Amino acid sequence: MRIDLNSDVGESFGAWTMGHDELLLPAITSANIACGFHAGDPGVMRRTVRLARAHGVAVGAHPGFPDLAGFGRREIRCSRQEVEDLVLYQVGALAAVAHAEGVRLRHVKAHGALYNMACRDEALADAIARATAAIDRSLVLFGLPGSALLQAGRAQGLRVAAEGFADRAYNEDGSLVSRAVAGSVIHDETTVVARTVQMARHGTVATAAGSIVPLQIDTVCVHGDTPGSARLAAAIRQALEAEGVVVEALGRGPKL
Amino acid sequence: MRIDLNSDVGESFGAWTMGHDELLLPAITSANIACGFHAGDPGVMRRTVRLARAHGVAVGAHPGFPDLAGFGRREIRCSRQEVEDLVLYQVGALAAVAHAEGVRLRHVKAHGALYNMACRDEALADAIARATAAIDRSLVLFGLPGSALLQAGRAQGLRVAAEGFADRAYNEDGSLVSRAVAGSVIHDETTVVARTVQMARHGTVATAAGSIVPLQIDTVCVHGDTPGSARLAAAIRQALEAEGVVVEALGRGPKL
Amino acid sequence: MRIDLNSDVGESFGAWTMGHDELLLPAITSANIACGFHAGDPGVMRRTVRLARAHGVAVGAHPGFPDLAGFGRREIRCSRQEVEDLVLYQVGALAAVAHAEGVRLRHVKAHGALYNMACRDEALADAIARATAAIDRSLVLFGLPGSALLQAGRAQGLRVAAEGFADRAYNEDGSLVSRAVAGSVIHDETTVVARTVQMARHGTVATAAGSIVPLQIDTVCVHGDTPGSARLAAAIRQALEAEGVVVEALGRGPKL
Amino acid sequence: MRIDLNSDVGESFGAWTMGHDELLLPAITSANIACGFHAGDPGVMRRTVRLARAHGVAVGAHPGFPDLAGFGRREIRCSRQEVEDLVLYQVGALAAVAHAEGVRLRHVKAHGALYNMACRDEALADAIARATAAIDRSLVLFGLPGSALLQAGRAQGLRVAAEGFADRAYNEDGSLVSRAVAGSVIHDETTVVARTVQMARHGTVATAAGSIVPLQIDTVCVHGDTPGSARLAAAIRQALEAEGVVVEALGRGPKL
């Protein structure tokens, strides 16, 4: 039993800070670093790569729509080619920053609206997968289980990682309950920890309706934007390890 | 006798076009491609790389200040670290785009105000040289002859290229006459062609005051923003070759 | 019989030029000036206001999505409040520039994807109408005939103007044929001129299927982005006047 | 004895927050609201205007260089015309937002590098003064005592306000000690309070070298970016009022 714990980091921008990366990174195994389009800037990217390296955390790219004002959360109707190009640009920029710091990128996880759209839309999924493969075929592509994104990644010969969300409610079909629905985000820490352990150990999740459904995942996303998120991430990791689950990054390891 | 002919290309942005790259590229040997901060966008970058590749032109990065509205021509007082990071980011982004198109970057030429400032300012020169070296130690760094930029490039172990300007007037000390001075830009095509041949063949230039001074250069910049610039570039190349000068890109060749 | 001829102008940005405003403005009566989010910048805005004033053309605001790279043509899923605020900001900025040049804004026409979305979506239409009314209740709001945008404008007590398109094909229900469909844009100049006269004189349009349907409009949009557009606009105006149609701007006039 | 207490507010942007405006506003009398170029966005601007209105605080514009990544703190070499246009644009945008909330702008204070440059540079000072006057001649223009900015404001017929800084060290000539110098920012709260009272009551300040020099000011800037800044502002106001100083905004009042 193995699981990766990932989190979105490096989301500060210029004079504005966001998140508590220094506290969060010790608890996780994969860092999704913003690439300057929805958050992050060249200086923040470098400092975040250094911080991840210092904690032995795998560094990945977190490309998003070009929308600082909307933090990449607003859907933008881009063409397939536009998405391929903007992902290539952002991942390439972070790859150079990482290279300058002696680090190789391990994974790519699209951000916000781009992630959500690409999980559903084959053309956008294909665009992200192609851009990722063009940079480095050993990169792991993250996406929702059963999504167009994972399918496109496999079609490009990439290793893919199915992602679960520690604090989100699930529908009967294993999809996420929309954030527009009350109860879609779970705030009770004990519950969040227990659900994560269940995902990692049993490959199942309790749905909003109360049934248990399969959810095969390789990585769990823990959120880092609230003050308590670092403590929660640490609690999740501790519980996983106490249950015998190996918490480690994906990609490039001997067993992977 | 060898010389490189370089030009700034890929300066369109979104729906706006600039320059006549298709006409210019057949005449030059090194393309300085804008990287999205002062001009260019991910799609323009890809199309420009393809176009350069199709014409056998060496591809280089043309990073600038983050200033679309000012086209990178306005001085921005950035710290050494800020400049290093923004150059690393931009060159990395273009390197990824080039890699996706099967092309390796050959050189780096800073754009506009960043180029001018770094030619004078050791800290900024060092920042650009470090960012360039961090990406690929075989990249050629462009700068004015005798500038801080070339010195910083050498200090980083980079091959450097001293650059002349086909259509600019020169001072007695081999520096460029400021654009603020009348006559700083030479418009007569025959004169521009003759001056370029003189630079390439004899390593000298006629100053604004009328004397002949040494100007050892490896590459000549020809401008591509006016309708006649492609024709002028072709005339320059033809004249150089008629005089027995080998016109070819710098870097990675067997004799370099 | 009266009609307004409007065109999108002031779409240059920084060092990039677009359109042929100097040639186009003599032929039109209302200028929709870009406000810096999808095109235009503070300097371009001022120069365009001056040019419109010099030609006696009514000045209006042309606010768009914050998307320079996409020229405001990409749909961005913004909230009602976000749209109200970004329209208020842009129209206010142009109003100040116009005021500094001794000109009062006469109308507001949303740009590109924002226009198209607001013609269909009541919440976005309401947002644009509220922002417009908050600035000046005498502003005329442009929109497609029968659209949510015009309805929202009326609900805010604004005068509204139904807009026709000189060079676009129409469906049986008076809506525009999607640009994705072949033949949606009409290129033959004689046809474009004749259709405009028919709209203005008879309040009808020939559909793509060949029938004649009613199309009550107050203003006709002529495009200004191609070299021939100024000539076409002049031909349209000449034909209208030859047919006895008064070509004049909307708003603030004694009969309006 | 009267003094205005001003502070920079509305410096959040999109998903990023900065400052503690809700806590700070009850203590101050003039709010300098960022206008979207160095900080702030249309939504933040509206919410900040509302908050200022709710606290009876005078609303002013805080225009800066177009530099979100540098927070308007980096010098950008713009032309006089560029500065006039970008100030006009920003103040106009905020004026519209304020108007929509039933508030009239009372003052203009340039931000960061723009403020510092315009205090020294007559052309930039003139640009800011002209843009301010073009919008509304009753606006009060803020600047350092004896600066080019105040002089330019007076030349445009504007009322001007000389500004002191509660927590900054002063040179013998009444200028600010550069931030690059150790001790340029005073952190001890009791000292900051006492210095502000001295400025307001006696029109003097103790210099870094220990002498007392004249400093005639109309408004004092209190910083709002640290958690303790709201408490400090409240302590400053309380001390001023305890000493019989009337703390009130400038402009439009009957006695002004």
Side-chain angles (χ1 to χ4, degrees), chain B:
Chain B
M1 286 178 303
R2 298 173 182 284
I3 198 79
D4 174 48
L5 289 183
N6 80 78
S7 195
D8 303 346
V9 295
E11 298 189 322
S12 295
F13 179 76
W16 293 279
T17 56
M18 184 173 286
H20 303 269
D21 295 356
E22 300 80 357
L23 300 174
L24 185 68
L25 280 162
I28 65 173
T29 45
S30 288
N32 319 315
I33 299 183
C35 303
F37 274 40
H38 74 278
D41 64 40
V44 167
M45 288 159 68
R46 185 193 287 269
R47 293 192 294 275
T48 309
V49 166
R50 280 184 189 162
L51 208 54
R53 186 188 61 195
H55 289 286
V57 173
V59 168
H62 197 43
F65 280 125
D67 183 16
L68 284 173
F71 202 67
R73 290 173 178 157
R74 304 189 289 207
E75 294 194 357
I76 303 181
R77 292 282 154 196
C78 294
S79 70
R80 200 200 65 74
Q81 187 65 51
E82 284 172 331
V83 167
E84 183 175 341
D85 292 348
L86 65 83
V87 170
L88 183 60
Y89 183 100
Q90 291 178 71
V91 180
L94 182 65
V97 173
H99 180 68
E101 293 294 327
V103 171
R104 241 184 116 174
L105 296 190
R106 297 277 283 272
H107 65 281
V108 171
K109 176 181 167 182
H111 168 78
L114 180 60
Y115 180 90
N116 293 331
M117 292 170 80
C119 280
R120 301 186 306 259
D121 182 308
E122 288 179 21
L124 300 188
D126 178 62
I128 294 172
R130 280 179 192 274
T132 302
I135 286 177
D136 180 351
R137 291 198 173 274
S138 71
L139 286 164
V140 181
L141 185 64
F142 284 23
L144 290 177
S147 65
L149 198 42
L150 295 198
Q151 201 168 352
R154 282 189 210 99
Q156 288 297 322
L158 295 171
R159 177 172 175 193
V160 297
E163 184 180 29
F165 289 80
D167 63 354
R168 292 290 298 277
Y170 279 84
N171 295 310
E172 295 299 298
D173 63 354
S175 65
L176 295 168
V177 173
S178 163
R179 280 182 181 274
V181 175
S184 64
V185 177
I186 300 166
H187 297 288
D188 179 67
E189 294 201 2
T190 310
T191 308
V192 172
V193 170
R195 288 170 68 84
T196 310
V197 171
Q198 184 181 345
M199 289 181 196
R201 285 210 62 185
H202 305 292
T204 59
V205 71
T207 68
S211 52
I212 304 292
V213 299
L215 189 80
Q216 294 291 342
I217 56 169
D218 306 297
T219 183
V220 173
C221 181
V222 294
H223 290 112
D225 39 3
T226 62
S229 51
R231 194 187 57 225
L232 176 58
I236 288 173
R237 181 166 192 163
Q238 194 174 13
L240 286 166
E241 290 176 344
E243 295 278 342
V245 180
V246 177
V247 181
E248 65 177 11
L250 302 161
R252 291 209 184 87
K255 298 195 179 171
L256 296 173

Side-chain angles (χ1 to χ4, degrees), chain D residues 103-123:
Chain D
V103 171
R104 242 184 115 174
L105 295 190
R106 296 277 283 273
H107 66 279
V108 171
K109 175 180 167 182
H111 168 79
L114 180 59
Y115 180 90
N116 294 331
M117 293 169 81
C119 279
R120 301 186 306 258
D121 183 308
E122 288 177 21

Side-chain angles (χ1 to χ4, degrees), chain D residues 10 19 32 81 85 89 152 159 205 210 213 216 218:
Chain D
N32 318 316
Q81 188 64 53
D85 292 346
Y89 183 100
R159 178 172 174 191
V205 70
V213 299
Q216 294 291 343
D218 306 298

Side-chain angles (χ1 to χ4, degrees), chain D residues 134-243:
Chain D
I135 287 178
D136 180 351
R137 291 199 173 273
S138 71
L139 286 164
V140 181
L141 184 64
F142 285 23
L144 290 177
S147 65
L149 198 43
L150 295 199
Q151 201 168 352
R154 282 190 210 99
Q156 288 297 320
L158 295 171
R159 178 172 174 191
V160 299
E163 183 179 30
F165 289 82
D167 63 353
R168 291 290 297 276
Y170 279 84
N171 294 312
E172 295 300 298
D173 63 354
S175 67
L176 295 168
V177 174
S178 163
R179 281 182 181 275
V181 175
S184 64
V185 178
I186 300 166
H187 296 289
D188 179 66
E189 294 200 3
T190 310
T191 306
V192 172
V193 171
R195 289 170 68 85
T196 309
V197 171
Q198 184 181 346
M199 289 181 196
R201 284 211 61 186
H202 304 293
T204 59
V205 70
T207 67
S211 52
I212 304 293
V213 299
L215 190 78
Q216 294 291 343
I217 57 168
D218 306 298
T219 184
V220 173
C221 181
V222 295
H223 289 112
D225 40 1
T226 62
S229 52
R231 196 187 55 225
L232 175 58
I236 287 173
R237 181 166 192 163
Q238 195 174 11
L240 287 167
E241 290 176 343
E243 296 278 343

